[in-house]
Amino acid sequence: MSIDIGITHQSRQQVANQLNALLADTYTLYLQSHNFHWNVTGPKFRELHLMFEEHYVELAEAVDEIAERIRTLGFPAPGTYKAFASLTNVTEPQDTPDAEGMLTTLLTNHETLVKTCRHALREAQEVDDESSIALISDRMRVHEKTAWMLRAMTQH
């Protein structure tokens, strides 16, 4: 069946492409946050262990929302490590960093997601896709706030 939601096929494809990148970034950050949750050590173990869990739980819910929006626009959502690796802008450290390195890495990558959101937001605004605009704006706010909190934790 054709999709008739007031946005052309080409416009829906443009937005879906941007959402694919946002999905890949979000999933990669989810994996990273979960990894750090498992592997954090040091005097702030409990605090960071719990915080990283809050992050990955929130990101897991976001992954589903983003993928469902891509499907709503009429396109398959990427869902493999290979696809995510080719689409993501999130950087991954070679080895498991110490607690301070984990905070710095997550800060950098939440800021990366803010930039991914800004790029996707422009595409959605160009084609007047209010549903995608709302989703992307919500995601951007979460990443901006998380980056602010991580930034505060890394200042001595």
Side-chain angles (χ1 to χ4, degrees):
M1 280 188 129
S2 65
I3 297 174
D4 185 15
I5 59 173
I7 305 170
T8 68
H9 177 84
Q10 181 180 347
S11 294
R12 285 186 288 108
Q13 178 72 69
Q14 287 173 242
V15 174
N17 289 344
Q18 297 305 312
L19 291 173
N20 287 345
L22 181 58
L23 178 61
D25 283 357
T26 304
Y27 194 84
T28 304
L29 186 56
Y30 158 81
L31 286 174
Q32 187 171 81
S33 299
H34 214 151
N35 175 31
F36 290 174
H37 165 78
W38 291 326
N39 291 300
V40 68
T41 59
K44 294 183 181 178
F45 167 79
R46 182 164 172 71
E47 177 185 0
L48 294 178
H49 182 74
L50 294 173
M51 183 182 72
F52 296 159
E53 182 175 7
E54 289 172 7
H55 289 188
Y56 78 72
V57 167
E58 193 282 327
L59 289 162
E61 291 174 13
V63 163
D64 199 49
E65 287 180 40
I66 298 164
E68 288 177 357
R69 181 63 191 158
I70 295 166
R71 294 298 300 139
T72 299
L73 292 172
F75 300 94
T80 64
Y81 292 120
K82 184 177 180 179
F84 290 149
S86 72
L87 292 167
T88 192
N89 295 303
V90 170
T91 59
E92 297 184 280
Q94 293 286 59
D95 299 312
T96 303
D98 62 13
E100 195 70 26
M102 289 177 179
L103 291 170
T104 302
T105 299
L106 291 173
L107 168 59
T108 298
N109 287 327
H110 277 279
E111 289 176 338
T112 295
L113 264 101
V114 171
K115 292 180 256 185
T116 300
C117 286
R118 288 189 189 288
H119 191 71
L121 187 59
R122 282 191 290 277
E123 289 287 335
Q125 288 168 333
E126 276 185 28
V127 301
D128 203 27
D129 180 356
E130 289 297 325
S131 295
S132 294
I133 290 168
L135 171 66
I136 296 163
S137 293
D138 289 346
R139 296 305 316 147
M140 189 163 49
R141 271 191 302 280
V142 167
H143 294 296
E144 287 175 338
K145 184 174 182 179
T146 304
W148 161 60
M149 292 182 173
L150 289 165
R151 198 174 304 108
M153 291 183 76
T154 61
Q155 294 173 348
H156 302 284

